[in-house]
Amino acid sequence: MSTISLGRHAQLAALPSHLCVFHESYAELRARQRDFLGLALNDRNEGALLFGAPGLPEQQMRDLEVDLGRSLDDDVRIGKLVLIHSDPDPDVCLERYRGALEALDQRGYAPVRAIGRCTWSLPGFPLPEDQLWLELRVGELIESSRAILLCAYDLATLPASAVVYGGFEAHSQIVLAGQLIDNPSFIGSDRYFVDRLLHLPWLAAS
Amino acid sequence: MDGELAAAVIDALGTQVVVVDRSGDIVWVSAAWREASGRCAADPLATAEIGSNLIRLLAATKQPSAEATAAGIAAVAGGGRPRSVGKLSTADASTQWLIIARELPVPDRGAVVTRSDTDSGYPAPPPGAADANELRDAIASLSPRELEVLRLMTRGLDNRAIAANLGIAYTTVRTHARSLIEKLGARSRLDAVARAYRSGVGSTR
């Protein structure tokens, strides 16, 4: 099994990996993305991917440019850095992830470092129940790739149900305060669909 | 702001908070925490009052997630980590809480621990829920192909996997999926799946 560093002086994670990273402000996420994606953008072989509601990946890219001290336009032009937008349809989101990973692979970029920002009830993003379905399916997509995906969960803005059902139950490992830790609350994909997604409390009466 | 005023603000916000010292002994409990503990009889932290040790109470549940949460709180309270996030549930997992520990901004003073119920932040349920008869009629209105797609959706498959399974184009599956979601009066893919599953359509195996 190969491994990949989560940042300068950071721990190694298995490749591929689908991880959850908790943060409490955009500034904290920005520092994490600089450390994590900066490694890819400063390495000729690696690729980088940003996923989020329309406008968010562009904002993150602009902040990366400031933090890395250079324009990333060429990285986008040659397909080394890919920005993908969410869609209310979770299957469209999944297809966009799949297409971006395949394109990066075909251009010879490996491994791929990706950050996806979880939002809950935001326009342009799948509804909460579909967001959880997307977590499940993206996790399986990543398993067959050469990518490491950090799903960013903002503790300051997301409700407990999003953090517990999405962050904790859909990721086998968690990055917390820079530490990569095994997650005992993780539910494997088969059980997650049957035991969690088919019985979400807010859908029980629908 | 003095301590009394700060406590009043926390109580006014309804936030479930305890403050622990470096060893995990509880030195302060908010009114919302006390009130929440009385609400759930199976709450593993119902006895988390001033003087008890929060880390030992969590570890005593013998839940792996609670034990990890206890270890995280111990690390924060002991000054080894700025923040920890954990999960706790009742023994039957019917109620779950998110537990966040943050270091106090005063050296060697322990941690502040907040607790949130997962059921306090549920999204709004879908509007216009169909009754059982309406749902049966809606399912009966699906075309044979839409019904096949729905059955595979209840197994959790994505559109590309469904297309491969049925030997049809991805875009055709996408069209069927969107159509059946609308016919079932669902607001989302998983809402349609949950409705169908409860009506006995499909299988998770």
Side-chain angles (χ1 to χ4, degrees), chain B residues 82-117:
Chain B
R83 183 176 63 226
S84 182
V85 188
K87 195 191 87 165
L88 174 69
S89 62
T90 52
D92 64 358
S94 59
T95 302
Q96 298 192 92
W97 296 271
L98 175 67
I99 310 265
I100 304 178
R102 298 174 178 88
E103 65 180 351
L104 281 167
V106 183
D108 301 324
R109 290 294 298 274
V112 56
V113 181
T114 60
R115 182 168 76 151
S116 313
D117 302 20

Side-chain angles (χ1 to χ4, degrees), chain A residues 24 28 89 91-92 94-95 129-130 133 137 155 161 165 169 176 185 193 196 198 201-203 205-206, chain B residues 65 83 85 87 96 102 121-123 125 129 154 156 158-160 170 178 187-191 198 204:
Chain A
E24 284 199 285
E28 187 180 346
D89 183 338
D91 202 88
V92 170
L94 185 66
E95 280 298 302
E129 58 268 20
D130 279 353
W133 180 89
R137 294 277 77 97
L155 296 168
S161 51
Y165 298 161
E169 294 184 347
L176 184 58
S185 302
F193 183 74
R196 170 60 65 214
L198 289 179
W202 62 89
L203 295 182
S206 67
Chain B
S65 60
R83 183 176 63 226
V85 188
K87 195 191 87 165
Q96 298 192 92
R102 298 174 178 88
Y122 286 158
T154 64
D158 60 63
N159 290 352
R160 193 160 291 278
Y170 164 79
R178 288 177 175 172
R187 71 173 181 184
S188 64
R189 183 184 187 94
L190 203 65
D191 185 22
R198 285 195 304 275
T204 57

